[in-house]
Amino acid sequence: MASAALPAPNGTWKAVLVGGGIAGTIDISYAIIANLAKVSPARVLQSVASGLLGSDAFDGGVATAALGLLLHFTMTCIMALIFIWAARNVAIVRNNLLLAGPAYGAAIYFVMRWIVVPLSRFPYDLRHVRPLELAVHIFGVGLVITLAASRFAAVAPSAANP
């Protein structure tokens, strides 16, 4: 017998897909628009693929751009899944969602730029702060994932589990 306090199993996946999808769209749209004067949208997507393929990604045409898009959305969906897990299992996150989500977005920004990207095959150094890009991660990634988790995965503060 299912408990009313537990979300339907598909609620988690809906939150992952909606939160990760919208956050991913905001993030990659920002990256494309911010770099439009310098490089094509395909080149931005290839830069994502270069984390896996190295500089060869820039010679792969549409195929590596598509791979970059797939990798990007896979990562944002994983980010959403991690937040949903934390919101369900870590009281300080669950009870402070509107602070935890934006903080999570900022953490994603710094972890990606200072840890993940340097450990990848991406050929450039991103270890510097771009305030507008950080704001996109705080509000367009972290807050969006939080709102999707709240709406679809029944993640909410719990008086029973402070």
Side-chain angles (χ1 to χ4, degrees):
M1 182 172 171
S3 169
L6 297 174
N10 66 353
T12 297
W13 296 115
K14 187 171 186 177
V16 166
L17 293 175
V18 171
I22 293 172
T25 300
I26 291 169
D27 184 38
I28 202 68
S29 295
Y30 168 78
I32 289 170
I33 292 166
N35 290 289
L36 203 49
K38 297 178 272 185
V39 298
S40 70
R43 181 97 173 164
V44 171
L45 296 172
Q46 289 168 337
S47 73
V48 177
S50 75
L52 182 63
L53 304 175
S55 296
D56 291 341
F58 298 109
D59 298 324
V62 173
T64 55
L67 176 62
L69 189 64
L70 175 68
L71 291 170
H72 176 73
F73 280 103
T74 299
M75 286 184 283
T76 57
C77 286
I78 290 169
M79 292 169 191
L81 186 61
I82 290 167
F83 183 83
I84 292 165
W85 178 88
R88 287 183 174 157
N89 293 288
V90 180
I92 195 166
V93 174
R94 181 178 54 251
N95 293 324
N96 298 285
L97 288 175
L98 292 179
L99 294 175
Y104 182 62
I108 288 169
Y109 178 81
F110 288 107
V111 167
M112 290 300 293
R113 291 179 84 86
W114 269 266
I115 299 171
V116 175
V117 171
L119 291 173
S120 78
R121 296 185 66 202
F122 183 76
Y124 307 107
D125 185 1
L126 295 180
R127 290 173 289 185
H128 52 275
V129 176
R130 293 187 173 163
L132 184 55
E133 194 171 305
L134 175 57
V136 167
H137 278 79
I138 290 169
F139 299 106
V141 177
L143 186 59
V144 165
I145 288 172
T146 300
L147 295 173
S150 296
R151 171 68 174 93
F152 299 112
V155 171
S158 171
N161 298 315

